[in-house]
């Protein structure tokens, strides 16, 4: 059932349109992951869907029975007092009777495993995220809009949130750059890119493949267009004889081409990460012996024996407050141990990424934070103009002259990386560098760290990032105990004993045995044999339509019905392909 529709919606805040005549249909049961670069307008789209403010143009049609709730990215500073009183205030504003409100609050807090008398101002990051969810769920919405729900949560809190939302069975639209979270939760992906929405009715893994196909088709179409424009520009500049016989219709076409090229919104450039590697460190980078640290009577680190060698990439895994940042400060001698010894290797050059961004001066400009009042920075021994260097991190010259305090969280993290990478380093310490970064920047940061010849210590709650980057992990198990495992998060998870939650409660073994015993019927065997050919035919038709829509000539004919029919067929193909792949997977699991 269609619950909300956006028709030709546009919106801007003074600059280029964040949404440029976009259309979108949200259906009951969708779990939509909204993707896009930092600053693309994703949060704006959520606010428009929630009805927080009107669009500049277009219409948003809501089913009258549908109620939505927005879960913000940051916890509001003004919220204080007991959680129950806050929720009672929310429901009283909606006109709900006190008795009915108390019943609703009790049901919601039981569902979220929260105590009604908990003070909002004393909550941890994970508890605050649950409080924001409670504020939304207590209103019993049909559609929940979540803006970066995993930011600043530890892995345990992210896993809880992931499982909770899957069990909730509500329509969801969420913004997230956590690839594992998107992979496990989303059944539909929508990408906001240059004011347009690309709708992929598939899971995250399939989206990555289909998105690359779309980008390749766009690049091919643009290459053909630019070649034609270049040929026409050569023709218009020919000698006097050619000018006398100039075809004025061709001149008008050239002017149209120029205008079309001027209005084309190119993709935002990729971040170009380049790290200045310092001199080679000694083979042994650092070593601890019986290292311990106490804060008052609380043991944070207990009897740690650790040796880190040159080239190690070590991840630090554990809940917030378990001592990960404390260990980094001990290893960099910012803190002194309560007992034990720390030995540092030779020729160490340390670069430290601080999750609190205390290395950035909020009142100075982006440029001044990197180069003071100089015009150049030295990268790998070569001078570079400061504006050129900052453009590698997607800061335009205008943005480079703005104060840091007006930057978004993602921009601040990119700036801190830019500052960090001007320092020669052979030991890179990164304390939650992945917060607020979009997926493309995360991919590039991964590649940079994999190619880095020095040593890396990394704190992150991004499971995919840990799995892709680290060679071993330090797992903070509580009470100061730190275990070392080979590999990333999934490798550690595989070493843990199975919990008695999901597997034993399912009690699905008899049904599974029956399913394994069942064999493919003759009709199903025939269907399984024919499915690859059907999928191939559908994908071929899909590619042909993409190519037609990418051809500028189709838009010159003025036949809008043909374009509309092709776009409609493309949407139908997406649905047919998804069903075909699901059916193929179902049949493939049944023995012949």
């Amino acid at each position: 059932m269609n619950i909300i529709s956006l028709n030709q919606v546009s919106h801007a805040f003074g600059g280029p349109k964040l949404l440029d005549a976009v259309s979108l249909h949200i259906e009951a049961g969708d779990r939509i992951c909204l993707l896009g670069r930092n600053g693309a307008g994703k949060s704006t789209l959520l606010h428009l869907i929630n009805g927080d403010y009107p669009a500049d143009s277009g219409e948003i049609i809501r089913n009258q029975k549908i109620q939505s709730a927005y879960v913000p990215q940051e916890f509001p500073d003004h919220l204080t007092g007991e959680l129950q009183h806050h929720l009672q205030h929310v429901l009283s504003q909606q006109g709900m009777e006190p008795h009915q409100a108390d019943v609703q609050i009790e049901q919601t807090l039981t569902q979220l495993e929260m105590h009604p008398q908990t003070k909002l101002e004393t909550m941890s990051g994970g508890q605050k995220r649950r409080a924001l969810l409670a504020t939304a769920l207590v209103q019993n919405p049909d559609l929940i809009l979540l803006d970066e729900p995993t930011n600043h949560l530890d892995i345990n809190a992210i896993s809880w949130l992931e499982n909770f939302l899957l069990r909730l069975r509500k329509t969801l639209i969420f913004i997230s750059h956590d690839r594992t979270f998107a992979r496990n939760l989303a059944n539909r992906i929508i990408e906001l890119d240059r004011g347009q929405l690309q709708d992929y009715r598939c899971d995250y893994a399939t989206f990555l493949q289909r998105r690359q196909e779309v980008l390749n088709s766009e690049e091919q179409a643009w290459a053909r267009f630019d070649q034609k424009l270049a040929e026409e520009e050569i023709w218009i500049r020919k000698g006097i004889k050619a000018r006398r016989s100039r075809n004025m219709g061709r001149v008008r076409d050239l002017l149209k081409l120029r205008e079309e090229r001027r209005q084309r919104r190119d993709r935002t450039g990729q971040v170009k990460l380049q790290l200045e590697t310092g001199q080679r460190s000694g083979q042994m980078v650092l070593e601890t012996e019986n290292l311990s640290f106490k804060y008052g009577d609380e043991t944070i680190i207990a009897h740690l024996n650790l040796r880190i060698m040159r080239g190690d990439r070590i991840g630090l895994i554990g809940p917030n407050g378990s001592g990960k940042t404390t260990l980094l400060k001990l290893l960099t001698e910012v803190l002194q141990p309560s007992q034990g010894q720390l030995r540092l290797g030779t020729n160490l050059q340390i670069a430290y990424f601080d999750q609190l961004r205390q290395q950035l001066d909020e009142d100075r400009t982006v440029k001044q934070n990197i180069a003071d009042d100089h015009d150049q920075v030295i990268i790998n021994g070569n001078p570079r103009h400061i504006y050129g260097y900052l453009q590698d991190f997607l800061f335009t010259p205008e943005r480079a002259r703005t104060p840091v305090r007006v930057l978004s969280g993602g921009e601040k993290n990119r700036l801190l990386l830019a500052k960090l990478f001007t320092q020669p380093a052979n030991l890179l310490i990164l304390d939650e560098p992945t917060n607020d970064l979009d997926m493309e920047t995360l991919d590039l940061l991964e590649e940079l760290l994999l190619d880095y010849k020095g040593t890396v210590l990394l704190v992150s709650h991004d499971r995919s990032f840990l799995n892709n980057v680290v060679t071993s992990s330090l797992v903070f198990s509580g009470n100061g105990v730190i275990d070392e495992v080979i590999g990333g998060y999934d490798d550690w998870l595989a070493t843990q004993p199975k919990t008695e939650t999901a597997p034993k409660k399912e009690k699905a073994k008899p049904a599974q045995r029956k399913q394994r015993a069942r064999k493919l019927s003759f009709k199903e065997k025939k269907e399984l044999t024919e499915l690859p050919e059907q999928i191939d035919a559908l994908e071929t038709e899909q590619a042909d339509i993409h190519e037609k829509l990418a051809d500028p000539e189709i838009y010159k004919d003025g036949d809008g019905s043909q374009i509309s029919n092709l776009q409609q067929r493309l949407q139908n193909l997406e649905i047919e392909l998804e069903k075909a792949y699901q059916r193929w997977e179902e049949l493939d699991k049944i023995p012949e």
Side-chain angles (χ1 to χ4, degrees):
M1 180 183 71
N2 189 28
I3 59 176
I4 294 180
S5 292
L6 281 69
N7 294 326
Q8 298 295 304
V9 169
S10 295
H11 201 78
F13 291 105
K17 290 181 179 179
L18 296 174
L19 301 169
D20 190 358
V22 302
S23 295
L24 174 65
H25 302 289
I26 302 165
E27 298 174 2
D30 280 342
R31 297 194 302 273
I32 298 172
C33 179
L34 180 59
L35 300 179
R37 300 297 290 266
N38 293 329
K42 303 185 295 297
S43 297
T44 298
L45 178 58
L46 290 192
H47 283 296
L48 290 173
I49 292 172
N50 197 45
D52 296 331
Y53 43 74
D56 292 343
S57 62
E59 59 178 352
I60 300 176
I61 303 172
R62 304 168 63 93
N63 186 319
Q64 291 184 351
K65 298 180 180 179
I66 296 300
Q67 183 176 353
S68 62
Y70 174 75
V71 180
Q73 182 177 158
E74 301 293 341
F75 191 83
D77 294 331
H78 67 273
L79 292 184
T80 57
E82 292 184 356
L83 174 60
Q84 184 174 15
H85 293 162
H86 164 63
L87 298 179
Q88 287 171 340
H89 176 68
V90 170
L91 293 181
S92 68
Q93 287 187 319
Q94 294 188 337
M96 187 177 291
E97 295 292 330
H99 175 70
Q100 185 182 355
D102 289 340
V103 172
Q104 186 78 5
I105 291 169
E106 182 180 358
Q107 291 175 347
T108 301
L109 295 184
T110 300
Q111 193 177 18
L112 289 168
E113 302 172 7
M114 299 191 76
H115 196 280
Q117 273 75 50
T118 306
K119 294 289 184 67
L120 293 168
E121 59 269 29
T122 63
M123 288 182 172
S124 66
Q127 289 175 321
K128 286 181 177 179
R129 180 58 56 187
R130 292 195 193 197
L132 290 175
L133 264 177
T135 305
L137 291 174
V138 78
Q139 303 171 56
N140 195 26
D142 306 282
L143 170 64
I144 302 178
L145 309 164
L146 302 112
D147 195 345
E148 296 277 13
T150 63
N151 251 15
H152 308 288
L153 295 185
D154 58 41
I155 292 178
N156 291 339
I158 293 172
S159 298
W160 175 88
L161 178 63
E162 195 175 275
N163 293 325
F164 177 80
L165 293 174
L166 281 170
R167 295 194 306 268
L168 193 58
R169 300 189 180 279
K170 295 270 188 181
T171 305
L172 307 173
I173 304 179
F174 61 94
I175 299 169
S176 180
H177 300 309
D178 185 318
R179 291 159 292 182
T180 303
F181 187 80
R183 189 179 294 116
N184 293 342
L185 187 60
N187 59 16
R188 181 178 174 190
I189 308 292
I190 292 176
E191 184 178 28
L192 177 54
D193 181 25
R194 292 159 290 166
Q196 297 297 312
L197 295 177
Q198 297 289 339
D199 192 352
Y200 299 86
R201 294 178 178 270
C202 59
D203 59 21
Y204 180 74
T206 309
F207 152 76
L208 292 176
Q209 300 172 357
R210 296 183 183 176
R211 178 177 182 266
Q212 192 57 50
E213 293 172 3
V214 170
L215 294 178
N216 290 340
S217 297
E218 184 181 73
E219 286 178 1
Q220 292 170 9
W222 283 3
R224 289 193 298 268
F225 178 91
D226 291 342
Q227 182 180 2
K228 179 176 176 58
L229 178 59
E231 290 171 355
E232 294 301 290
E233 293 289 4
I234 292 172
W235 170 79
I236 200 71
R237 288 173 175 79
K238 284 184 178 179
I240 295 174
K241 184 177 180 181
R243 288 196 191 99
R244 288 174 181 166
S245 59
R246 184 172 295 160
N247 182 329
M248 292 311 297
R250 190 171 176 181
V251 173
R252 286 192 293 271
D253 288 343
L254 172 59
L255 295 176
K256 290 179 182 177
L257 288 174
R258 286 177 177 172
E259 178 63 16
E260 188 175 341
R261 179 64 184 87
R262 187 186 67 79
Q263 292 184 358
R264 187 170 80 193
R265 291 180 66 174
D266 292 321
R267 286 196 298 274
T268 304
Q270 286 191 338
V271 178
K272 298 175 184 176
L273 302 181
Q274 184 179 11
L275 179 59
E276 181 166 0
T277 306
Q279 59 180 311
R280 186 167 175 162
S281 69
Q283 182 66 25
M284 195 274 291
V285 174
L286 60 85
E287 185 176 29
T288 69
E289 183 179 344
N290 201 33
L291 190 75
S292 299
F293 183 82
K294 288 187 176 182
Y295 185 77
D297 295 330
E298 184 180 3
T299 299
I300 308 299
I301 309 291
H303 311 295
L304 175 65
N305 294 300
L306 174 69
R307 175 177 288 182
I308 298 176
M309 308 302 289
R310 184 176 64 229
D312 285 347
R313 297 191 300 273
I314 300 176
L316 278 64
I317 300 174
N320 290 333
S322 60
K324 300 185 297 297
T325 300
T326 299
L327 178 59
L328 294 182
K329 290 182 177 180
L330 287 169
L331 298 181
T332 53
E333 299 184 304
V334 174
L335 293 176
Q336 296 301 312
S338 303
Q339 71 178 68
Q341 292 183 340
L342 167 68
R343 289 188 292 274
L344 298 178
T346 58
N347 297 328
L348 279 188
Q349 295 173 290
I350 301 174
Y352 193 110
F353 182 100
D354 172 23
Q355 64 164 309
L356 300 178
R357 309 184 187 116
Q358 292 177 347
Q359 294 155 285
L360 298 178
D361 187 334
E362 295 272 331
D363 294 324
R364 304 189 81 193
T365 66
V366 171
K367 172 184 175 294
Q368 288 171 332
N369 267 272
I370 302 294
D372 293 320
D373 294 321
H374 303 296
D375 291 331
Q376 290 184 333
V377 288
I378 305 299
I379 305 296
N380 285 329
N382 300 315
R384 288 201 60 189
H385 196 279
I386 181 60
Y387 289 126
Y389 177 68
L390 286 172
Q391 282 182 321
D392 288 349
F393 293 82
L394 303 186
F395 291 105
T396 63
E398 293 77 17
R399 199 64 171 165
R401 291 188 286 268
T402 59
V404 169
R405 64 176 177 273
V406 304
L407 300 182
S408 67
E411 287 176 314
K412 288 179 180 177
N413 267 18
R414 287 206 309 269
L415 176 59
L416 190 50
L417 287 174
K419 185 179 180 69
L420 188 75
F421 293 168
T422 60
Q423 308 170 27
N426 50 36
L427 173 57
L428 200 57
I429 298 178
L430 306 173
D431 193 355
E432 298 199 30
T434 58
N435 283 339
D436 301 308
L437 293 182
D438 58 55
M439 290 185 180
E440 292 181 9
T441 307
L442 285 174
D443 288 339
L444 291 167
L445 183 57
E446 280 180 7
E447 292 177 14
L448 178 81
L449 295 179
L450 289 172
D451 292 337
Y452 182 55
K453 303 303 181 186
T455 307
V456 178
L457 293 177
L458 168 67
V459 177
S460 178
H461 301 306
D462 187 319
R463 292 160 288 179
S464 294
F465 195 79
L466 288 167
N467 289 332
N468 295 341
V469 170
V470 304
T471 55
S472 63
S473 301
L474 298 176
V475 182
F476 290 68
S477 306
N479 298 321
V481 177
I482 302 175
D483 299 316
E484 186 173 6
V485 296
I486 303 300
Y489 174 77
D490 285 350
D491 297 293
W492 167 75
L493 199 60
T495 67
Q496 301 305 294
K498 300 294 183 184
T499 60
E500 296 187 4
T501 52
K504 291 194 175 178
K505 284 184 180 178
E506 282 177 3
K507 294 186 178 179
K509 289 183 179 178
Q512 287 175 348
R513 288 194 195 103
K514 288 180 183 178
Q515 190 174 13
R516 284 197 294 270
R518 187 175 91 78
K519 297 192 180 238
L520 285 173
S521 66
F522 175 78
K523 184 177 179 182
E524 288 173 332
K525 285 182 183 178
K526 185 172 182 295
E527 184 182 2
L528 181 60
T529 305
E530 294 173 349
L531 268 172
E533 294 182 5
Q534 294 175 13
I535 291 172
D536 187 55
L538 291 171
E539 288 182 336
T540 301
E541 184 182 356
Q542 185 185 51
D544 289 341
I545 293 177
H546 276 303
E547 189 172 348
K548 288 177 182 176
L549 290 173
D551 188 350
E553 295 296 327
I554 195 174
Y555 300 97
K556 293 181 181 179
D557 297 338
D559 187 0
S561 61
Q562 182 187 3
I563 297 171
S564 177
N565 291 337
L566 287 173
Q567 291 174 336
Q568 183 60 49
R569 178 55 184 157
L570 202 57
Q571 291 181 359
N572 293 337
L573 281 171
E574 292 279 356
I575 298 171
E576 291 177 30
L577 273 169
E578 185 178 357
K579 289 180 179 177
Y581 273 116
Q582 287 177 351
R583 182 58 175 162
W584 190 12
E585 187 178 358
E586 289 171 7
L587 294 176
D588 195 47
K589 290 178 180 177
I590 304 173
E592 296 185 16

